[in-house]
Amino acid sequence: MTDQFTPPPSVGCRAAPVLKQRGQREVFCGLTGIIWLHRKMQDAFFLVVGSRTCAHLLQSAAGVMIFAEPRFGTAILEESDLAGLNDAHAELDREVETLLARRPDIRQLFLVGSCPSEVIKLDLSRAAERLTQQFAPKVRVLEYSGSGIETTFTQGEDACLASMVPVLPKTQERELLVVGALPDVVEDQMMALLDGLGVGPVRLLPARSLDVETGIGPNTVFALTQPFLADTHAALERRGATHIAAPFPFGEEGTTAWLAAIAAQFGVSDETFKAVTDAPRRRARAAIAQASEPLNGKSVFFFPDSQLEVPLARFLTRECAMTAVEVGMPYIHDSIHGPDLDLLPEGPQISEGQDVDLQLDRCREARPDLTVCGLGLANPLEAEGLSTKWAIELVFTPVHFYEQAGDLASLFARPLRRKGLLKHEGIAASDPTMREVAQ
Amino acid sequence: MKLTVWTYEGPPHVGAMRVATGMKGLHYVLHAPQGDTYADLLFTMIERRDHRPPVTYTTFQARDLGSDTAGLFKKACQDAYDRFKPEAIIVGASCTAELIQDDPGGLAETMGLPVPVIPLELPSYQRKENFGADETFFQIVRHLAKPMEKTARVSCNIIGPTALGFRHRDDVQEITNLLYELGIEVNVTAPMGATPTDITKMGQAHFNVLLYPETGEQTARYCERTFDQPFTKVIPIGAGATHDFIAEVRALSGSTAELDTDRLRQSWWSRSVDSTYLTGKRVFIFGDGTHVLTAARIARDEMGFEVAGLGCYNREFARPVRALAKEFGVTPLITDDYLEVERAIEELQPEMILGTQMERHIGKRLGIPCAVISAPVHVQDFPARYSPQMGFEGANVIFDTWVHPLVMGLEEHLLHMFREDFEFNDAAGPSHHGGHAPQKQGAPAPVEATPEPATTGEVIWLDLAERELKKIPFFVRGKARRNTETYATEKGLREISLDTLYEAKAHFAR
Ligand code: SF4
């Protein structure tokens, strides 16, 4: 079995010095998570209490009007709401009543805090308690913060899931809880793998709907499928559950390591493990080999966005033969990201937080073959001749586990393949003076 | 508090960004939390700009709130100046920073930066994007432009185009050419393409051409008062409006230069027999005030449509839109609530919508074709090809754009004749669009074009009449239903029989 494993690097990045800079951060706020969470939890509605900016962010990040009537909306604060908090609470009650009357399919309502609601100290936990009493048992009302002063991009999902942990029913059962919103198709594959290993019962957070009983207690062990769930991790430990630390299930190696950590917890035999994973591992390796060809020997630079950066850098360096120049993360948590950092070969600059102008300077200096960054930076960098991959696609696309390992590699390979295909370079690349004229 | 799903306009600071990003040599320091940086993608993704917008965000966090957000602002301001060396800086607050009351304008003033610093007051909880653009541009002009001697040759400024505007790029080119043909030089086009230095020279022009009242009206009025520059009131969208605009420009400039109008194909295209089928098509028009006002006139006078309803989302233009609705004998819809717009469309059952990307989506849901006439913009509203809305070429572009979603002349008749054809049926939609493949066995039934309740209000549809109604192609079915019901109500009938249906048809025949 060992011949199939790439040995870990002699020196990983776990102890590497971390560059920390403070300046402008070019990232989304946690509200963005609503765009995938509302698809995942089909009986939930996300009500942002915020400003026109918040509504505009959701609309812009979602791409205008993908869905006729989505299960999210913004209660936009107006001048009068800022004057008196009591009135604001009354207004919120009124909006929620109208909403729930119009949408009887809603079983869970999340009140989502924003920067404005937090700055004026509008206490949404009070509102959630009040509304839960009013609408129980039909609707459960929870609250969390997706504000930009508290959360970065994927931390919104973390805050949402963490808000659900205290209300999970108690259980003494020895169960595996898998935490993190995954596309349904990926979730089904994962369940099949765990089932094959004989691991169970398996519970999910978030569950697809409220009726599914996910409990928690001292005998619960949990695994994270997403590397941005630090608060949820802490909340689960507070309720006595035990974390199975592992690299994240990206690529063949990550998936195998993730499953192996769970298998060890549940005493799965080597034979069973091999029997279940050998075939999909082979498939994944073949798919990666094919898809990652344009990536071999190329360099990659990560701007901080989703906290997926370290696991993905591990995948790209170890399974796609890339070299990482810089791996930026909005936040680094040793207990969560440590196992991936151990596997990431030394070399790249690890950075936490951001001063976007300084980081852009470093990126331009390094001229990586591929830059993973946000939507605001992608086209400007392309115009400077760099190839980019939008970070947001990585949280919207099925990329976890064996069967998606090849897709994950192609996501990164596509910009490079495309560059190879297009014969006619834009005026930008061919003639800098023309570019000035064209502006 | 107001529950909003989709918004027609962003917050006012996004309007300020549209001005800053359209200009050159200007930098915007915005006191705002990190999430507000999403606005960059509007410009880099939707408009495909190859530069980041010239905006520095302070990205303060919760932990800064108790301590020194003001210091953070000053540092961001200094860093932005040092790095970008702009000719002028605008400073302001987003919705969150407005609440913490750091007064960016006052702070920046104390810093002694060697370039003009222009403070913006944009009330985020009252106003929206268009106001933000209009006010920002006005403040820039008020701070920078000074009275000057007029140019020797007659010249004008073009006022109003911004970044992320609906076809602004091509409108400016079209109108600049038109003015050139009239022998008028463009002194400054602003905000789009202008530097702060250019702005200082705006006073040289003899008059102003205001293309977008939404984003330039305050400035036009200010320049009229301060620099003695009259401005044009006609917006040259449509053939008629373009002619009126030319007349207005001639009056302001004294130009008598001859114009070649051969390029205007729209008038003949609309008169040619193929266009007969456009006659009396019932359209619903919705968008920003300016585009709705101009579209209504084109619809009625240049396409021969019947305007069934109209409205706008920006309250600033409620008055002229109301006046126009009155002239057209329809009820105006002034709202920024897209659900309300959807209800109005559902009720009116127009044969076509002239709207925004929002209405395009409503149309998709209701099975009503839609052509886009106005912001809010979508990546599709920035075509690679030249595609103005203004001037003669704009009139041509609009003709094509509006006709494209419709079922064309002869095809309409064929649909009437061969309704049951499995390949060529009315649920398949216009044949020049995708999706007219034969209905697959077991595939879900085609979505009914219009909701078809058996009863509407008081009037009951008898079975035979109801079945006959279903035989009418989808794109006229809504109209037929409405007309028949109106007819029945007028006649005091409680039931609609087959006869009623055909009597109504005869009654409304034209
Ligand atoms: S950063 Fe704050 S104000 Fe801006 S969109 Fe996010 S929650 Fe709303």
Side-chain angles (χ1 to χ4, degrees), chain A residues 26 56 59 65 68 74 361 379, chain B residues 4 7 40 44 83 338 361:
Chain A
E26 181 87 13
H56 200 234
Q59 167 166 337
M65 312 276 293
T74 307
D361 288 346
N379 267 336
Chain B
T4 305
T7 67
D40 283 359
T44 63
R83 175 173 282 266
Y338 120 106
H361 215 83

Side-chain angles (χ1 to χ4, degrees), chain A residues 333-350:
Chain A
H333 300 281
D334 187 67
S335 56
I336 296 177
H337 305 123
D340 279 298
L341 282 166
D342 276 335
L343 290 175
L344 182 63
E346 71 171 330
Q349 174 71 62
I350 307 290

Side-chain angles (χ1 to χ4, degrees), chain A residues 155-193:
Chain A
Q155 283 184 307
E157 175 177 333
D158 187 22
C160 174
L161 300 191
S163 80
M164 299 168 79
V165 173
V167 296
L168 291 177
K170 243 201 194 76
T171 174
Q172 294 298 322
E173 299 300 309
R174 177 164 172 79
E175 292 176 343
L176 173 67
L177 179 65
V178 182
V179 190
L182 293 175
D184 292 349
V185 46
V186 176
E187 196 173 276
D188 292 343
Q189 287 171 17
M190 172 192 79
M191 293 301 267
L193 284 167

Side-chain angles (χ1 to χ4, degrees), chain A residues 29 31 51 53-54 57 114-116 146-148, chain B residues 33-36 38 95-96:
Chain A
C29 59
L31 296 185
S51 65
T53 316
C54 308
L57 163 108
S114 69
C115 305
S147 81
Chain B
Q34 60 185 4
D36 290 4
Y38 80 88
C95 53
T96 309

Side-chain angles (χ1 to χ4, degrees), chain A residues 27-32 48-58 74 112-118 145-151, chain B residues 13 32-38 60 94-97 125:
Chain A
V27 285
F28 288 139
C29 59
L31 296 185
T32 326
V48 176
V49 183
S51 65
R52 178 165 298 281
T53 316
C54 308
H56 200 234
L57 163 108
L58 282 174
T74 307
V112 188
S114 69
C115 305
S117 79
E118 280 161 24
S145 167
S147 81
I149 54 175
E150 294 281 5
T151 62
Chain B
H13 70 259
Q34 60 185 4
D36 290 4
T37 60
Y38 80 88
F60 56 86
S94 76
C95 53
T96 309
Y125 297 91

